[in-house]
Amino acid sequence: MKSFKVLSIFLTGWWCFISFSTSYAATERGDYLEIRTVGELRQALLDAQSNGQDDFIVLADGIYETDADGLGTFQFIDDEAYSLTLVAQNQGQAVLDGSGIHRVLDLDSTAQTSIEIDGLVLQNGFSTDGAAGLQLNVKNTTIIDSEFLDNVGSAIQSYGDYGRGETILIERSKFLRNRTMPAIVHSGYYSPLSIVSSYFKDNEGAVRAHVNYSRASIQNSIFLNNTSENQTTGVSMQGGDRAVHNSLFLESIEKGDSTNRTAVRISGDQINHIYNSIFLDSANVLASGESFAMHHTYIDTTKLAVPDG
């Protein structure tokens, strides 16, 4: 039997968006590789595929365009169980740019590889098949203090293999003006997804987390105007357990626009919870599944749609 409850429709929690500035001096690590050009970046990614060690690559300030040498997407195709870290020397100042014609970065490994992306900007990617910004097929991914801007196609896309259990953590990152697809597209059978303290604005869809048997959660994040006439859902979470905590959603519709906009569509197998969150203006919630509970949340109840029963 399906159940639904709304408890205390007012704000009692806090949401926050925190960004930290990072800088890596040459003396901080003895095993890092600093790169300054597109050619050096490609060679560093190539070497990391087969050198039998963890790799820590620091990108100096600058714009690294996929079209600068005519070779297109930056790629890492690996079969070794080591980690790869790509970090900006100064947060937000190392920019990977798809030139409006290529996917920006493709990270692919058949081994138990861990990836960390820290402080980078991925922008101006283009793809009609998969991600325009970052395509992921690795065991563990952590993205922190990074920005995904103006990609035509999803900013990040990943498929979760049931037998592999990929994990994705996105923290303190920004997603702005990504078009034609939701900024994050996450599908498959088993792949936990956590979005923490991140900011989504003016995307054609913010998150599409449709993984069948694993948890997806959003915490302490802000979502502003991530729907359009072509993409009427901002966050869509289906499959395993789904939860939204301490987050803000706002959808502003121009006068005369009668399109129904859904800020959050949530449908998990067992748990569908929204806690301590705020829904403003035309931000609707559509819930389905075996159970749904909303706690300590501010919303116009006329904009809340839940199943009967």
Side-chain angles (χ1 to χ4, degrees):
M1 179 178 177
K2 295 179 180 178
S3 63
F4 165 69
K5 53 184 176 180
V6 178
L7 301 179
S8 303
I9 307 300
F10 55 86
L11 181 67
T12 60
W14 289 87
W15 55 263
C16 63
F17 177 72
I18 305 173
S19 180
F20 296 98
S21 178
T22 58
S23 178
Y24 290 85
T27 56
E28 288 189 12
R29 298 182 61 106
D31 57 350
Y32 76 96
L33 176 64
E34 183 175 334
I35 64 99
R36 296 182 175 277
T37 68
V38 165
E40 290 175 354
L41 175 57
R42 291 196 192 278
Q43 189 61 50
L45 292 172
L46 181 63
D47 292 344
Q49 295 174 182
S50 58
N51 60 9
Q53 66 181 36
D54 295 336
D55 290 278
F56 191 96
I57 299 172
V58 178
L59 283 76
D61 296 359
I63 299 177
Y64 301 80
E65 292 185 284
T66 58
D67 198 40
D69 56 3
L71 296 180
T73 301
F74 299 115
Q75 292 184 314
F76 172 78
I77 302 174
D78 179 52
D79 61 0
E80 296 184 334
Y82 294 98
S83 66
L84 170 66
T85 300
L86 296 172
V87 59
Q89 188 173 51
N90 295 292
Q91 182 184 322
Q93 300 304 308
V95 179
L96 305 186
D97 193 301
S99 305
I101 53 177
H102 302 124
R103 173 180 297 157
V104 178
L105 181 61
D106 195 335
L107 302 176
D108 192 342
S109 176
T110 58
Q112 301 291 87
T113 301
S114 294
I115 299 289
E116 182 172 321
I117 295 176
D118 186 349
L120 299 183
V121 178
L122 279 71
Q123 67 180 27
N124 295 330
F126 177 85
S127 178
T128 58
D129 182 18
L134 172 62
Q135 185 73 34
L136 288 172
N137 180 27
V138 295
K139 179 64 172 69
N140 300 302
T141 302
T142 300
I143 298 169
I144 56 177
D145 295 322
S146 294
E147 300 180 30
F148 295 80
L149 314 175
D150 300 302
N151 296 290
V152 180
S154 55
I156 298 174
Q157 189 156 328
S158 177
Y159 180 88
D161 189 331
Y162 185 78
R164 193 178 189 196
E166 297 94 332
T167 66
I168 301 175
L169 169 63
I170 299 168
E171 189 168 2
R172 301 193 307 269
S173 294
K174 297 179 182 179
F175 296 80
L176 306 177
R177 303 179 302 276
N178 298 287
R179 318 304 292 174
T180 73
M181 293 287 290
I184 298 172
V185 175
H186 190 223
S187 61
Y189 290 91
Y190 188 82
S191 178
L193 170 68
S194 297
I195 299 170
V196 181
S197 299
S198 293
Y199 182 81
F200 296 76
K201 184 180 180 183
D202 294 335
N203 302 286
E204 288 192 344
V207 178
R208 181 188 295 165
H210 292 184
V211 179
N212 290 338
Y213 303 113
S214 58
R215 179 179 175 83
S217 65
I218 294 171
Q219 303 175 46
N220 305 335
S221 295
I222 298 173
F223 296 80
L224 305 178
N225 295 325
N226 292 292
T227 64
S228 67
E229 291 184 8
N230 296 323
Q231 178 57 259
T232 59
T233 300
V235 174
S236 180
M237 306 170 74
Q238 298 180 27
D241 297 342
R242 301 294 186 243
V244 176
H245 295 181
N246 308 325
S247 295
L248 174 94
F249 297 83
L250 181 146
E251 293 293 331
S252 298
I253 299 177
E254 294 181 3
K255 187 176 181 179
D257 185 348
S258 60
T259 308
N260 185 33
R261 307 294 176 88
T262 301
V264 175
R265 180 177 182 180
I266 186 168
S267 175
D269 290 339
Q270 297 180 6
I271 300 173
N272 302 278
H273 285 170
I274 297 176
Y275 293 91
N276 301 335
S277 295
I278 300 174
F279 294 83
L280 298 176
D281 207 346
S282 297
N284 292 354
V285 172
L286 174 61
S288 60
E290 291 303 312
S291 67
F292 174 72
M294 178 177 283
H295 302 265
H296 309 303
T297 291
Y298 179 89
I299 187 172
D300 179 345
T301 55
T302 66
K303 300 185 184 303
L304 177 61
V306 296
D308 294 332

